[in-house]
Amino acid sequence: MAQMVRGVIGAGLVLGVGALPVTAQSMALPASDPVGIARSGAQVAYGYSLEAATANPALLASLKEKGGAYLAAGLEMSATQQSLESNQLTRYSTDRNRAIGGFGLAARLSPVLTLGLKLDEPYLRHGKLLDDSPSRFLGDGIDLSARRLEGQAAWALSPNLSVGLGLGVARLSYESTSVMRLNVPNDPTLPASATNAVEGLVEQRVGQSGNKVVPSYSLGLRWAISPRWTLGFTHQSGLKGDLDMKADLRGAYLGLYNNDGLSRALDGTDVRAASLLAASGATAGNPTLELPSQTTVGMRHRITPMLTWEADLRWTSASLQVPTFATVQTPSGTVTAPAELPRGKGHLGLSASLEMDLGKFWTLRGGLALDQRSIEEAAAEPLLGGAATAAFSIGAGYKVWGGELNLGYQYRQSEDQDTRRQDIWSSTGFQGAANRVRMEGMGHLMALSFKMMF
């Protein structure tokens, strides 16, 4: 019976792998600690691992010790680049680095019940485009993060079967900027009209930011089919809330243009533009931020006492939605961004890891991950990304000072994608230019932690 179950599950994983194209990655992080990073997130069935219990609370019941704790800190780095076909110029994004952190705690109260606490960062996305970026009118900056704290409990229904539950909160933070062009009439304090003609355009950055604490939960299952094979399942809830958004005009204007949106502005436009901006104000967009849920099934196989591998198949829901851009109220009316950031789409992901114990002190880890496209290709833009990506990771653990010191690193490379959503903003509105732009993305994720079991 056990052999048949293993065969069915193994066939399912193979079919899942076969269904994946060379794929894409969302803004979800594989983990916030170095062990999970080194495994590329493939650990929902990995028993005897306190770090894996961050992904699957049912794994708390499998810990050999009565309790333990770890503390992790690291760095996430990512960047995008845009290459415009018409002039072969490449522009790189800025604001590339973010600190990350994680925490885990477990305490066995009885042979049946184990409690835990976790702190992690399931979602992170950031970047700032240059002032002359060809896609700046579609949004030129984003800073999105989710920090989650959950209390956990695991019940051992039998020596081979356990279930887990996590309940807590997540703090959602979001900031976006977009670039708009405002018509500048001859008298900027009055609405534009036939008698108050538009004499130029002023390009201005508009920003908004906000945060919200929302509830979160996780469910988990661990089934040790045999001493060498283990099946894991977990569901991480989506995160949704209406943020307390505030908007404003960011800094001085970026440029002045004639009515065609390309040529030099007429003399005196700068004075009229300053008066227009002084009489204008910004209003935040729709404040709803929704981050998708994730459901994962994984299979772990202990090949030898030294060598263990795991493969996870993950489904990410389609419920990705970010707040709409801020708008600007001028004497001539409300000016809105010509396009909003796209919604997400449901997609599959695959992670695999390999772990080797070398004697009493060293543990080596490696992993890879693939994710399907999380944003429709027709809506491609650099801020949310969502293009096809592969990730590779390595890491090591060393037992010292009565505990274990762990280091993990992951490299992520997105598939190149092309877009023609690069347009010109003139006094008559937003116009298609049909220039092709190639977008590329890459990132690094690394962390260091110390764990003690007792």
Side-chain angles (χ1 to χ4, degrees), residues 353-375:
S353 66
L354 188 66
E355 185 163 309
M356 179 181 295
D357 292 325
L358 298 180
K360 296 181 179 180
F361 299 102
W362 285 98
T363 301
L364 302 182
R365 304 179 180 94
L368 60 87
L370 300 171
D371 288 271
Q372 290 180 319
R373 173 176 291 279
S374 59
I375 300 291

Side-chain angles (χ1 to χ4, degrees), residues 106 177 416 437:
T177 56
D416 296 350
V437 175

Side-chain angles (χ1 to χ4, degrees), residues 53-88:
T54 301
N56 183 356
L59 297 178
L60 289 171
S62 71
L63 297 177
K64 296 179 180 180
E65 298 84 359
K66 291 185 177 181
Y70 74 84
L71 182 63
L75 186 66
E76 190 271 348
M77 298 174 286
S78 59
T80 61
Q81 67 181 64
Q82 299 179 74
S83 302
L84 191 60
E85 184 181 51
S86 59
N87 57 19
Q88 298 298 305

Side-chain angles (χ1 to χ4, degrees), residues 29-44:
L29 298 183
S32 300
D33 65 271
V35 175
I37 291 172
R39 293 171 178 162
S40 284
Q43 54 179 354
V44 301

Side-chain angles (χ1 to χ4, degrees), residues 29-158:
L29 298 183
S32 300
D33 65 271
V35 175
I37 291 172
R39 293 171 178 162
S40 284
Q43 54 179 354
V44 301
Y46 211 104
Y48 316 128
S49 171
L50 177 58
E51 292 88 353
T54 301
N56 183 356
L59 297 178
L60 289 171
S62 71
L63 297 177
K64 296 179 180 180
E65 298 84 359
K66 291 185 177 181
Y70 74 84
L71 182 63
L75 186 66
E76 190 271 348
M77 298 174 286
S78 59
T80 61
Q81 67 181 64
Q82 299 179 74
S83 302
L84 191 60
E85 184 181 51
S86 59
N87 57 19
Q88 298 298 305
L89 293 179
T90 297
R91 296 168 175 85
Y92 296 89
S93 65
T94 60
D95 192 26
R96 300 176 180 181
N97 305 328
R98 288 293 183 276
I100 60 172
F103 172 76
L105 175 68
R108 178 168 294 120
L109 302 186
S110 72
V112 175
L113 178 62
T114 304
L115 299 182
L117 182 68
K118 76 168 184 181
L119 173 67
D120 67 343
E121 299 186 37
Y123 292 98
L124 186 63
R125 184 74 183 179
H126 55 91
K128 183 75 177 66
L129 305 184
L130 298 181
D131 290 347
D132 63 347
S133 168
S135 66
R136 64 189 182 278
F137 300 130
L138 306 178
D140 80 327
I142 189 172
D143 189 353
L144 184 156
S145 66
R147 294 177 174 86
R148 180 173 55 191
L149 177 67
E150 285 187 359
Q152 299 174 302
W155 292 268
L157 306 181
S158 74

Side-chain angles (χ1 to χ4, degrees), residues 189-200:
T189 62
L190 297 176
S193 65
T195 59
N196 188 27
V198 174
E199 299 290 347

Side-chain angles (χ1 to χ4, degrees), residues 213-356:
V213 176
V214 300
S216 70
Y217 71 87
S218 57
L219 306 172
L221 170 73
R222 175 184 179 267
W223 178 25
I225 302 172
S226 73
R228 293 185 180 273
W229 291 87
T230 303
L231 173 69
F233 167 85
T234 186
H235 175 77
Q236 305 280 351
S237 71
L239 305 172
K240 182 179 181 180
D242 289 340
L243 311 187
D244 181 19
M245 302 288 287
K246 295 179 175 60
D248 61 338
L249 304 181
R250 297 285 172 92
Y253 61 78
L254 302 175
L256 299 171
Y257 301 88
N258 207 339
N259 288 355
D260 60 5
L262 295 172
S263 57
R264 182 170 176 255
L266 301 175
D267 291 342
T269 303
D270 55 341
V271 177
R272 291 191 293 271
S275 298
L276 175 73
L277 293 175
S280 302
T283 301
N286 185 321
T288 301
L289 173 61
E290 185 173 4
L291 301 176
S293 64
Q294 290 189 327
T295 303
T296 307
V297 60
M299 174 62 73
R300 180 193 70 93
H301 180 209
R302 186 177 173 219
I303 304 174
T304 70
M306 294 177 57
L307 192 62
T308 301
W309 66 265
E310 179 170 337
D312 290 358
L313 189 61
R314 177 180 58 260
W315 170 256
T316 301
S317 71
S319 55
L320 170 62
Q321 176 185 350
V322 299
T324 58
F325 289 121
T327 59
V328 178
Q329 285 70 46
T330 73
S332 297
T334 300
V335 181
T336 62
E340 299 294 342
L341 294 178
R343 296 182 67 106
K345 59 175 288 188
H347 61 281
L348 286 170
L350 171 73
S351 298
S353 66
L354 188 66
E355 185 163 309
M356 179 181 295

